[in-house]
Amino acid sequence: QVQLVESGGGLVQAGGSLRLSCAASGRAFNQYAMGWFRQAPGKEREFVAAINWIGGSTYADSVKDRFTISRDNARKTLNLQMNSLKPEDPAVYSCAARLGVPAMIYNSSSDYNYWGQGTQVTVPT
């Protein structure tokens, strides 16, 4: 089992950057596939980015080339570097985890068993 705690959210102007982190506790973090999802008010939760055991990653089209997902297995940390933030990016961003096979990348929220509480990202218009 793993517990997840996000940090790093806040208010940033359009065009700015934020770095979100997700600290994991529990054993065998390196065996968990990880993902970032976001949910804006009145909208469905949507996929942002995901990473597998060995660092392979995938992104939603809306964030490709702007966001970068990474993991530090030694520190049990998942990160999301967000650059060139846009007015459509504000949401509660949550990290998620699941045990998986090394090469698999999971981009559906239903694939994940464990969730953090989320961190708010705000980009004023």
Side-chain angles (χ1 to χ4, degrees):
Q1 193 167 355
V2 63
Q3 290 79 45
L4 305 171
V5 179
E6 302 93 336
S7 62
L11 186 150
V12 62
Q13 297 298 319
S17 298
L18 275 176
R19 184 177 178 86
L20 304 183
S21 292
C22 172
S25 60
R27 301 177 67 180
F29 174 77
N30 61 308
Q31 295 180 16
Y32 282 83
M34 305 293 297
W36 285 100
F37 292 79
R38 67 186 182 185
Q39 187 167 20
K43 294 189 176 181
E44 297 284 321
R45 177 184 285 167
E46 67 173 353
F47 169 73
V48 175
I51 190 167
N52 62 15
W53 287 24
I54 53 178
S57 59
T58 190
Y59 298 88
D61 288 342
S62 59
V63 307
K64 202 172 295 184
D65 299 324
R66 299 189 298 123
F67 291 10
T68 303
I69 189 171
S70 62
R71 65 189 299 161
D72 185 334
N73 289 336
R75 291 184 168 85
K76 298 184 180 180
T77 302
L78 176 73
N79 301 300
L80 185 69
Q81 178 66 42
M82 305 188 296
N83 298 329
S84 303
L85 282 159
K86 299 180 178 181
E88 55 263 37
D89 290 323
V92 175
Y93 283 71
S94 299
C95 63
R98 63 156 290 158
L99 287 171
V101 297
M104 281 293 293
I105 305 174
Y106 303 89
N107 62 5
S108 171
S109 60
S110 61
D111 290 328
Y112 290 89
N113 311 101
Y114 304 103
W115 292 85
Q117 83 289 350
T119 186
Q120 177 72 49
V121 172
T122 302
V123 182
T125 54

